[in-house]
């Protein structure tokens, strides 16, 4: 699989990685044996980049990856911190950062974390010199090799990109969320900052498998967070209301090239956007992990397909999400 350098980390990672939120919580139950099988299938398919967080299953996702990594030490693992405490800028201190990263180091079984990202903190955090001084201290103390941010909005991303120590920005990017193409990706490319694209299938909408009657489990965020009840609404279906998303996804599915599924088409669309380093779809089964990785091998989408994606967004999605994030 193609490898790209992840911004200021200097490390190369696969253009299709693996998001592991679902291995911890909020997507229904995934057993440990199943989770390890997903990780194995991803690596066998060429994936070299896992993304996790200290709050996914209260550390369960990190712990499972840590066990897997004993036999696969070359996998690059990005984790996130900052949501184990109230979302208050006052909590983003060096002492808390040390405690949170020490816990992640234990969970992952490493002395130095490859990459730690602030996990969608309050907007004010991005403008705090003290926060970024603390992150620099973690690097100096060799607790972490590099740091980045995971953001909700394009403005937050641009503020972080301006920081000289920011290695990467993780942001929602998919055919239903095009705003980052306007300023964020160009700014990141100019600064040498990596872009990690998350929520690439709009919480599964872009797979084309759902209808308006689809029901998700009660412990699935696609049930309990549709209106932002638990966390930012943009994390669930990219902020698009479900009925509109299902209709737009059916239209998107018609754009898939011969022999390609809608999901692989969506991932291929992301991979070929200038400035993207890696896209991190989740997977609940080995079959899903292999199918996602296969998107890296698709031929680039044609200019006419790219234009059709833009047209679909402008007609069906833009008014609902573009000015919110």
């Amino acid at each position: 699989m193609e490898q790209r350098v992840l911004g200021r980390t200097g490390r190369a990672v696969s253009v299709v990685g693996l998001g592991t939120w679902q291995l911890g919580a909020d997507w229904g139950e995934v057993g440990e044996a199943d989770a390890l099988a997903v990780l194995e299938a991803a690596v066998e398919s060429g994936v070299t980049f896992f993304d996790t967080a200290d709050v996914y299953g209260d550390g369960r996702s990190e712990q499972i990856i840590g066990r897997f990594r004993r036999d696969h030490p070359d996998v690059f693992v990005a984790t996130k911190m900052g949501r184990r405490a109230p979302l208050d800028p006052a909590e983003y201190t060096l002492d808390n950062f040390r405690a949170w990263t020490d816990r992640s180091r234990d969970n992952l079984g490493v002395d130095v974390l490859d990459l730690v990202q602030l996990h969608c903190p309050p907007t004010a955090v991005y403008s705090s010199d003290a926060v970024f001084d603390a992150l620099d201290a973690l690097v100096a103390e060799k607790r972490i090799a590099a740091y980045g941010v995971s953001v909700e909005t394009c403005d937050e991303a641009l503020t972080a990109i301006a920081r000289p120590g920011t290695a990467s920005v993780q942001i929602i990017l998919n055919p239903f969320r095009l705003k980052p193409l306007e300023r964020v990706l160009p700014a990141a490319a100019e600064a040498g900052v990596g872009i990690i694209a998350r929520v690439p299938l709009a919480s599964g909408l872009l797979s084309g498998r759902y209808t308006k009657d689809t029901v998700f489990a009660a412990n699935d965020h696609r049930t309990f967070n549709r209106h932002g009840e638990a966390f930012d609404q943009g994390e669930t279906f990219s902020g698009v209301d479900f009925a509109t998303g299902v209709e737009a996804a059916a239209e998107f599915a018609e754009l898939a090239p011969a022999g390609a599924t809608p999901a692989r088409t969506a991932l291929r669309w992301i991979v070929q956007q200038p400035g993207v380093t890696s896209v991190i779809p989740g997977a609940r089964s080995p079959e899903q992990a292999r199918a996602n990785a296969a998107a890296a091998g698709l031929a680039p989408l044609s200019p006419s397909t790219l234009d059709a994606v833009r047209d679909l967004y402008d007609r069906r999605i833009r008014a609902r999400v573009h000015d919110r994030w």
Side-chain angles (χ1 to χ4, degrees), residues 8 42 47 70 97 107 113 139 178 199 204 207 209 271 288 294 308:
R8 293 170 176 153
V47 170
R70 292 170 194 164
F97 287 0
N107 284 342
L113 297 168
V139 176
L178 269 57
V199 196
S207 70
R209 295 185 291 110
V271 165
Q288 284 184 333

Side-chain angles (χ1 to χ4, degrees), residues 48-67:
T48 63
F49 178 49
F50 294 164
D51 178 82
T52 186
D54 58 3
V55 291
Y56 293 168
D58 194 27
R60 181 175 185 260
S61 177
E62 287 184 329
Q63 291 163 7
I64 290 171
I65 290 171
R67 284 191 280 278

Side-chain angles (χ1 to χ4, degrees), residues 12-296:
V13 299
S14 53
V15 293
V16 177
L18 179 70
T20 63
W21 181 11
Q22 75 288 350
L23 304 188
D26 296 332
W27 293 80
E29 186 63 32
V30 178
E32 182 172 334
D34 293 333
L36 290 169
V38 167
L39 300 179
E40 187 69 47
V43 168
E44 288 176 351
S45 301
V47 170
T48 63
F49 178 49
F50 294 164
D51 178 82
T52 186
D54 58 3
V55 291
Y56 293 168
D58 194 27
R60 181 175 185 260
S61 177
E62 287 184 329
Q63 291 163 7
I64 290 171
I65 290 171
R67 284 191 280 278
F68 178 82
R69 202 181 187 192
R70 292 170 194 164
D71 296 322
H72 302 83
D74 295 332
V75 174
F76 187 106
V77 178
T79 192
K80 296 184 284 292
M81 68 175 183
R83 301 185 77 88
R84 294 184 54 74
L87 288 178
D88 179 344
E91 298 287 343
Y92 290 76
T93 66
L94 180 56
D95 285 344
N96 279 345
F97 287 0
R98 285 172 174 153
W100 296 337
T101 54
D102 284 351
R103 184 175 183 270
S104 290
R105 289 160 69 202
D106 287 342
N107 284 342
L108 288 163
V110 298
D111 293 326
V112 182
L113 297 168
D114 294 333
L115 176 69
V116 171
Q117 305 155 96
L118 296 180
H119 197 172
C120 299
T123 300
V125 168
Y126 298 99
S127 299
S128 169
D129 292 340
V131 166
F132 285 86
D133 287 345
L135 292 169
D136 287 332
L138 295 182
V139 176
E141 293 169 2
K142 300 190 185 306
R143 282 181 163 86
I144 68 176
Y147 62 82
V149 296
S150 182
V151 304
E152 295 291 2
T153 72
C154 289
D155 285 344
E156 290 170 347
L158 292 166
T159 301
I161 288 167
R163 295 278 177 175
T166 300
S168 63
V169 167
Q170 183 176 141
I171 193 166
I172 296 174
L173 176 67
N174 62 54
F176 288 175
R177 188 74 82 84
L178 269 57
K179 190 175 181 179
L181 303 182
E182 295 176 354
R183 297 175 61 202
V184 173
L185 268 61
E190 183 176 354
V193 171
I195 290 289
I196 303 166
R198 78 172 185 277
V199 196
L201 302 181
S203 307
L205 274 178
L206 286 161
S207 70
R209 295 185 291 110
Y210 305 147
T211 71
K212 292 179 181 179
D213 298 323
T214 300
V215 175
F216 301 95
N219 61 348
D220 189 313
H221 74 102
R222 292 171 293 186
T223 294
F224 67 75
N225 194 59
R226 290 195 182 189
H227 305 288
E229 297 93 332
F231 41 82
D232 193 277
Q233 184 182 352
E235 301 288 343
T236 302
F237 301 128
S238 294
V240 181
D241 70 274
F242 186 63
T244 297
V246 167
E247 292 176 355
E251 218 177 308
F252 177 82
E254 296 176 359
L255 304 178
T261 64
R264 291 184 193 176
T265 302
L267 296 174
R268 178 66 241 185
W269 179 91
I270 296 168
V271 165
Q272 72 185 74
Q273 299 306 312
V276 169
T277 309
S278 185
V279 58
I280 50 170
R284 289 170 52 86
S285 70
E287 293 75 21
Q288 284 184 333
R290 295 187 191 100
N292 290 339

